[in-house]
Amino acid sequence: MRIAGKVLGEVLNLVSAAAKPGVTTKELDEYAYELIVKEHKMVPSFLHYDGFPATFCISLDDEVVHGIPSKKRILREGMLLKLDGGVGYGGYQTDAARTVAIGEVSAEKRRLMDVTKECFFEGMKVLKNGTRLGTLGAAIQAHAEKNGFSVVRELTGHGIGTDVHEDPDVPNYGKEGHGLRVCTNMVIAVEPMLNLGRREIWQKNDGWTIVTRDGSPSAHYENTVVITDDGVEILTL
Ligand code: MG
């Protein structure tokens, strides 16, 4: 998972750098496939997962997660782009996501993006052997809400190993001191999803894309992490 995670982090950096006005989300997806499969000879964890048709989930603006890359989706200045993908190696999977600003974005979108990433690292401050998942969720939720953003509830982080999605659910909200306890050597994906407006979401008719109900922009930031005795090791930076 360390080996796969390092590749995933690099691929996310390269694909993020290629995201410019005029580029389609399909082109970004093809680039991710080329890097993972052809260059690194590894497995794109999301491709064909539950029938998903692409290497990366690529979502724009009010799309929260699970967007399907398309030739018709052309990046424009001011958009928020979300890249979410996985890399498998030796039968084990990794999962990570980034939000990327396309050109100049509005100040509120920039803040949404920054605070979402901060929420992940606020979570990491409390995560170690023995931490309860409610304590992790509460740390993420508090930072989001203090900044005026809402936390998506229906989608959560998750355990990860030979399968991309394993138990337990890892919510981005919760009550300090409640929930399951994590322990050393557990591997989980922590992935705050924050909306600029209300927290409610729905699924589009394509059976995949999740959007905000109020049409407000959404941001996502995720890494696969190993719990250690005194903290975490982040595998997908
Ligand atoms: Mg995930």
Side-chain angles (χ1 to χ4, degrees):
M1 293 178 88
R2 283 193 182 99
I3 294 166
K6 187 165 181 287
V7 167
L8 178 54
E10 284 170 15
V11 170
L12 283 166
N13 285 344
L14 288 168
V15 178
S16 296
K20 302 233 161 66
V23 174
T24 68
T25 59
K26 178 81 178 166
E27 286 169 317
L28 294 179
D29 191 62
E30 286 168 353
Y31 184 35
Y33 182 88
E34 214 169 276
L35 291 167
I36 296 167
V37 177
K38 295 187 180 158
E39 192 170 320
H40 290 281
K41 316 278 187 238
M42 291 192 190
V43 179
S45 310
F46 289 17
L47 185 61
H48 309 313
Y49 182 90
D50 275 348
F52 189 74
T55 297
F56 272 7
C57 294
I58 306 186
S59 312
L60 296 169
D61 287 336
D62 65 319
E63 297 167 352
V64 181
V65 285
H66 304 169
I68 302 171
S70 164
K71 279 185 269 191
K72 292 179 188 154
R73 303 304 302 277
I74 303 165
L75 301 184
R76 283 183 280 108
E77 179 98 12
M79 281 178 158
L80 275 192
L81 168 80
K82 278 83 65 172
L83 302 169
D84 187 2
V87 170
Y89 178 73
Y92 283 82
Q93 312 301 325
T94 55
D95 186 0
R98 304 285 182 263
T99 296
V100 184
I102 303 304
E104 283 292 308
V105 298
S106 67
E108 60 181 7
K109 278 184 174 176
R110 168 69 59 183
R111 216 167 61 77
L112 174 68
M113 187 174 110
D114 292 346
V115 169
T116 303
K117 184 174 177 178
E118 288 165 18
C119 279
F120 171 86
F121 287 99
E122 286 298 310
M124 293 309 106
K125 288 183 188 169
V126 302
L127 194 56
K128 62 179 181 189
N129 183 34
T131 300
R132 289 186 184 272
L133 288 176
T135 302
L136 170 66
I140 292 169
Q141 182 182 7
H143 190 69
E145 292 179 353
K146 186 177 79 186
N147 282 282
F149 301 125
S150 63
V151 172
V152 172
R153 306 287 178 102
E154 293 83 355
L155 301 155
T156 66
H158 47 89
I160 180 165
T162 53
D163 200 344
V164 188
H165 295 109
E166 296 184 354
D167 285 338
D169 285 344
V170 179
N172 298 301
Y173 60 93
K175 274 190 189 161
E176 199 174 333
H178 285 66
L180 295 175
R181 246 186 246 281
V182 296
C183 60
T184 297
N185 289 334
M186 275 183 71
V187 187
I188 60 175
V190 180
E191 49 177 320
M193 285 159 260
L194 269 58
N195 297 343
L196 189 65
R198 297 178 57 86
R199 69 174 173 83
E200 286 80 11
I201 54 172
W202 61 23
Q203 189 173 45
K204 287 174 80 171
N205 289 337
D206 62 14
W208 283 104
T209 316
I210 304 290
V211 294
T212 57
R213 280 205 178 212
D214 63 7
S216 69
S218 187
H220 186 200
Y221 184 83
E222 174 182 25
N223 285 300
T224 297
V225 307
V226 187
I227 312 298
T228 65
D229 289 345
D230 53 4
V232 293
E233 179 186 345
I234 303 174
L235 301 184
T236 47
L237 285 180

